[in-house]
Amino acid sequence: MQLNRSVLIVEDEEVIRSSLSEYLTSEGYQTMQASTVTKALELARSQDFNVAICDVQLPDGDGIELLRRLQNIKPSIFVLIITAYATVENTISAFKAGAFDYLVKPVIFDDLSHKLNRLFEYQKIFYENQILRRELARSPGIEEVVGSSKTLQNLQNTIRKIAATNSNVVLFGESGTGKELFARSIHSNGPNREQRFLAVNCGMRPIELLESQLFGSAASSPQYPQAEQTGVFKNADGGTVYLDEISQLPLGTQGKLLRAIEYGEILPLGSAEPVKVDVRLIASTTQDLSEMVKQGEFEEDLFYRLDGMKIHVPALRERVDDIPELVEYFISKHSSKMGKRVTGATSETIRTLMSAEWKGNVRQLDNAIERAVMMCDDNMICLNDLPPELHQDEPPLPDVDDLRLALRHYERMHITRVLKDSTDKREAAKRLKLGLSSLYRKIEELEIELE
């Protein structure tokens, strides 16, 4: 695996900074220079590097705090600390903050070269082990729930509790959120995990074909000339049937499904004899089933049978913190399929992905990363590898700790988007729940450029 041998040098003494840069360049490294914490963070947000060499004492801060902030921007970065006095106290502080090693002034070039070689060798092994662990942890053809956000943790905790009961469940949420993935998670954590999990798309037409797939059909008859079919419910007996978009199920078929739930029996098409089945039903929908009941479009009794155990699957914008992990997962998945050695994405790319709207949710992110891996000529996905619509309009999220600056950035981004989507400022003000004069003040205050 080939790593980008780029080093950021953060040192306020120009002579030391220049001599380090000159030596490292002669050794085949790419270098960037900064004399302050502010400049170093600015470079970290706009450039990619694997290693930072930071002085402990800087004009506008200290190297230990800079180390922490650099690792917030790019967690995989390795930092060497430069100190004039290698006391036990400041060395321990550096290692506690996450420093890989330290150098004592005056810096001996041979010592620096040795430590950098050791660091890059360790970094290469670290990345290769990460890739290997991801590949070993995944079964071929089986997707997994990826992420560690609080929202996802709460959802998985709910799933674990409901899974153990063997109750019927309905998952609701926007298209592309991975509802079938969570349905499989419920099955794999339930008491019938050793039995079959079979999925059916309820939008299938014609109705006879759908019902035949669900409930089976008897041997050929004048009314139903198709061959005998067992049906999903019978094939999954003892296991789980997953009905994708149950809201599209015809009313007549809903009644037959209700009977399967209440009495544990189905009636194959063309047959006069019911068949006993024992399955767990998991359904999903993007629609408001209670509203469909009011409109007479959904069986009320079936609704109440499912409504007791319902789980909201969050949209991607509700679990933005999971995007870096999802990106890593999809990169591994698609690079493996394409035979490419793409190992990650640049910090700028990740920030852009975290600021996107993702109306298509996780499915859209998956497709975007598949395209990016295809377009990538290096081992790291760059901004230009993403679909153009993801990086044309809105700037990435700010990498700042100051809540006021972050809120100002988001407010500016949000108002700009609403203005673009509105016919005039009056409509935009109405959508933003602002008075027209307040909107004008916001435009001036946030320096929003109007087309």
Side-chain angles (χ1 to χ4, degrees), residues 134 138 326-346 349-350 353 364-387 390:
R134 287 200 301 266
R138 290 172 188 147
L326 285 164
V327 169
E328 181 183 312
Y329 173 80
F330 290 136
I331 287 173
S332 176
K333 168 185 163 184
H334 293 302
S335 60
S336 177
K337 282 183 181 178
M338 297 178 198
K340 301 187 76 170
R341 297 295 291 176
V342 181
T343 58
T346 65
T349 303
I350 293 292
L353 292 170
Q364 185 187 358
L365 175 61
D366 185 5
N367 292 338
I369 298 303
E370 182 178 17
R371 189 256 192 202
V373 170
M374 193 183 302
M375 300 299 293
C376 184
D377 293 322
D378 203 346
N379 61 352
M380 296 288 283
I381 290 174
C382 300
L383 204 56
N384 288 337
D385 297 323
L386 297 177
L390 291 180

Side-chain angles (χ1 to χ4, degrees), residues 200-258:
V200 178
N201 183 343
C202 295
M204 183 188 295
R205 296 292 186 271
I207 295 173
E208 288 79 10
L209 184 60
L210 172 62
E211 292 193 356
S212 176
Q213 185 178 7
L214 287 173
F215 310 123
S217 59
S220 183
S221 66
Q223 189 177 2
Y224 303 105
Q226 68 268 28
E228 183 176 0
Q229 185 172 336
T230 307
V232 166
F233 271 81
K234 188 59 182 174
N235 281 328
D237 198 13
T240 301
V241 171
Y242 170 64
L243 300 182
D244 184 23
E245 200 49 76
I246 195 172
S247 61
Q248 294 183 23
L249 208 60
L251 276 170
T253 311
Q254 290 176 28
K256 295 178 182 180
L257 176 61
L258 179 61

Side-chain angles (χ1 to χ4, degrees), residues 155-174:
L155 174 58
Q156 289 179 312
N157 187 42
T158 300
I159 283 174
R160 278 191 293 271
K161 291 176 181 177
I162 289 179
T165 67
N166 206 30
S167 300
N168 299 321
V169 181
V170 62
L171 301 163
F172 67 97
E174 295 177 12

Side-chain angles (χ1 to χ4, degrees), residues 193-441:
R193 65 177 69 88
E194 301 300 326
Q195 304 302 318
R196 301 183 75 179
F197 175 99
L198 295 179
V200 178
N201 183 343
C202 295
M204 183 188 295
R205 296 292 186 271
I207 295 173
E208 288 79 10
L209 184 60
L210 172 62
E211 292 193 356
S212 176
Q213 185 178 7
L214 287 173
F215 310 123
S217 59
S220 183
S221 66
Q223 189 177 2
Y224 303 105
Q226 68 268 28
E228 183 176 0
Q229 185 172 336
T230 307
V232 166
F233 271 81
K234 188 59 182 174
N235 281 328
D237 198 13
T240 301
V241 171
Y242 170 64
L243 300 182
D244 184 23
E245 200 49 76
I246 195 172
S247 61
Q248 294 183 23
L249 208 60
L251 276 170
T253 311
Q254 290 176 28
K256 295 178 182 180
L257 176 61
L258 179 61
R259 186 168 187 82
I261 295 172
E262 288 187 332
Y263 300 104
E265 63 180 34
I266 56 172
L267 188 66
L269 296 184
S271 173
E273 290 296 323
V275 177
K276 284 290 184 181
V277 290
D278 177 21
V279 299
R280 179 179 203 169
L281 179 69
I282 302 177
S284 70
T285 180
T286 58
Q287 304 300 314
D288 183 347
L289 294 182
S290 62
E291 189 59 36
M292 289 184 68
V293 170
K294 292 176 186 175
Q295 300 297 325
E297 297 171 349
F298 198 83
E299 180 78 43
E300 187 173 16
D301 289 341
L302 179 58
F303 168 73
Y304 287 119
R305 276 288 184 177
L306 297 172
D307 194 53
M309 288 290 184
K310 60 181 181 180
I311 300 175
H312 169 61
V313 179
L316 189 53
R317 63 181 173 276
E318 297 175 67
R319 43 180 293 217
V320 174
D321 291 346
D322 289 329
I323 287 178
E325 287 182 65
L326 285 164
V327 169
E328 181 183 312
Y329 173 80
F330 290 136
I331 287 173
S332 176
K333 168 185 163 184
H334 293 302
S335 60
S336 177
K337 282 183 181 178
M338 297 178 198
K340 301 187 76 170
R341 297 295 291 176
V342 181
T343 58
T346 65
S347 302
E348 182 184 22
T349 303
I350 293 292
R351 290 196 299 273
T352 299
L353 292 170
M354 291 181 74
S355 68
E357 286 190 46
W358 299 119
K359 292 179 181 178
N361 292 295
V362 178
R363 186 184 295 126
Q364 185 187 358
L365 175 61
D366 185 5
N367 292 338
I369 298 303
E370 182 178 17
R371 189 256 192 202
V373 170
M374 193 183 302
M375 300 299 293
C376 184
D377 293 322
D378 203 346
N379 61 352
M380 296 288 283
I381 290 174
C382 300
L383 204 56
N384 288 337
D385 297 323
L386 297 177
E389 64 270 15
L390 291 180
H391 56 85
Q392 282 182 343
D393 299 326
E394 296 177 355
L397 291 170
D399 207 328
V400 296
D401 295 329
D402 191 321
L403 181 60
R404 290 169 300 178
L405 289 177
L407 288 172
R408 175 185 171 87
H409 174 93
Y410 177 78
E411 193 174 20
R412 184 177 189 274
M413 190 171 69
H414 181 69
I415 291 174
T416 301
R417 180 181 63 79
V418 174
L419 282 165
K420 283 183 179 179
D421 292 345
S422 302
T423 54
D424 55 31
K425 295 185 188 67
R426 191 175 299 279
E427 181 192 337
K430 186 177 180 181
R431 288 174 59 183
L432 291 163
K433 301 293 191 291
L434 290 174
L436 188 57
S437 58
S438 298
L439 175 58
Y440 275 107
R441 281 197 299 274

